[in-house]
Amino acid sequence: MQKFNDAAYKAELKSKVAALKKEKNAVIIAHNYQRDEIQEIADYRGDSLALAQTAVRTDASLIVFCGVHFMAESAAILNPNKKVLLPVKEAGCPLADMITVDKLKEKKKEHPDAAVVCYVNSSAEVKAQSDIACTSSNAIEVVKSLKQKNIIFVPDKNLGRYVQKNVPEKNIILWEGFCSTHIRLREEDVLTAKKVHPQAEFLSHPECDPEVLKLADVVCSTGGMFKYVEKSEKKEFIIGTESGMIYALIRENPDKKFYLPTQHLICANMKLTTLGWVLHSLENEVYEVKVSEDIAKKARKSLEKMLDLSKK
Ligand code: SF4
């Protein structure tokens, strides 16, 4: 019996993906938390903000979005004339599911004078009910830009608390949502990692618990981590975010060392996409993400306001 050769199998899948991509004028966009094999075939990699900007700029007629549902949905909202595919239709985000439009409407009634800022990790319907969207890279800037003092910030309470700390002149009304991956990073994990790697700086994503953020040398988005590491003279870093970032950071900084403080920083949804699913997606042009035009129109406004602010 012939032995299965994983490397040869993956090489074959990659070459089929490359051929189909060319034939269909497609582009592959991947979030920094995707599997290594997906990051390798991606035309663009980045955090939510960078990917939203890429989705707007691309000339490709077909976008294969390797990430989770809300990301592909944002790309579809921003590109109404392009076909946006999510290779695994079950790839969702537990944080985005922690808010419903009805609950948000109730909250808006309780605080009629407040502006609503929604983290991009939310559904199109929630974006449509919000004044402006934000990502973890620009949340502070977005909140500062608003004239209202009271801000309903949804759905991530840790990012909301982080914004409140940095924009004390505003009153942030928090939503009880959290990222089920970042919440797994505990204070003890960071303290242990710091003992083992005393020379390393600790970079944390703002979705982590406040106790973890207190220990951080730098709090930033995944895009911010790339920028910081590139400029830093330090050679070692403890990374407080999803495990996929380690591959991406090593690739861009081969002379530096990166440590994950716990093996539990894995987002199961982000890891659902494999080379096989990307090929399946391209071959069959599935699973197309569509948003009804009345919702898309309002959600687009929230996203475009954020993108315009990030251009300034
Ligand atoms: Fe959602 Fe957290 Fe996974 Fe990102 S890492 S997709 S916020 S659960």
Side-chain angles (χ1 to χ4, degrees), residues 16-60:
K16 284 184 178 168
V17 164
L20 267 178
K21 217 174 63 173
K22 205 169 163 195
E23 185 191 313
K24 299 198 171 191
N25 184 26
V27 72
I28 298 179
I29 294 183
H31 190 269
N32 290 324
Y33 296 161
Q34 289 286 292
R35 289 169 183 264
D36 301 357
E37 65 191 41
I38 301 299
Q39 297 200 32
E40 282 164 16
I41 57 160
D43 298 290
Y44 302 99
R45 293 171 291 264
D47 61 10
S48 303
L49 177 61
L51 297 184
Q53 287 164 329
T54 302
V56 176
R57 280 195 302 262
T58 181
D59 293 331

Side-chain angles (χ1 to χ4, degrees), residues 33 68 70 92-95 121 179-182 207 242 267 269-270:
Y33 296 161
V68 292
F70 75 82
C93 167
L95 169 60
N121 302 35
C179 162
S180 49
T181 302
H182 286 91
E207 283 172 21
E242 211 276 342
C267 174
N269 285 282
M270 281 284 183

Side-chain angles (χ1 to χ4, degrees), residues 80-200:
N81 301 320
K82 289 174 188 162
K83 201 170 187 180
V84 178
L85 307 177
L86 182 68
V88 180
K89 64 173 180 299
E90 293 79 16
C93 167
L95 169 60
D97 293 340
M98 288 179 193
I99 181 165
T100 63
V101 179
D102 289 344
K103 293 257 184 255
L104 177 57
K105 283 183 181 167
E106 280 173 28
K107 190 63 105 187
K108 284 169 75 166
K109 267 192 199 150
E110 283 169 34
H111 304 278
D113 61 336
V116 180
V117 176
C118 70
Y119 190 24
V120 280
N121 302 35
S122 54
S123 67
E125 288 81 5
V126 166
K127 288 185 180 85
Q129 280 294 322
S130 303
D131 293 289
I132 185 165
C134 76
T135 69
S136 50
S137 334
N138 60 20
I140 293 175
E141 188 191 357
V142 164
V143 167
K144 277 186 178 169
S145 75
L146 297 167
K147 62 177 189 309
Q148 291 90 335
K149 182 173 171 59
N150 293 331
I151 311 287
I152 300 171
F153 190 95
V154 300
D156 189 86
K157 65 178 174 187
N158 287 338
L159 180 61
R161 283 188 188 128
Y162 173 69
V163 171
Q164 178 70 86
K165 203 173 152 219
N166 285 279
V167 194
E169 66 275 23
K170 300 282 186 187
N171 174 37
I172 307 287
I173 300 153
L174 298 171
W175 193 269
E176 277 301 312
F178 57 87
C179 162
S180 49
T181 302
H182 286 91
I183 206 84
R184 286 187 223 132
L185 177 57
R186 314 306 315 169
E187 204 183 350
E188 311 85 79
D189 301 322
V190 180
L191 292 171
T192 306
K194 282 184 169 227
K195 257 190 212 154
V196 179
H197 307 290
Q199 303 302 325

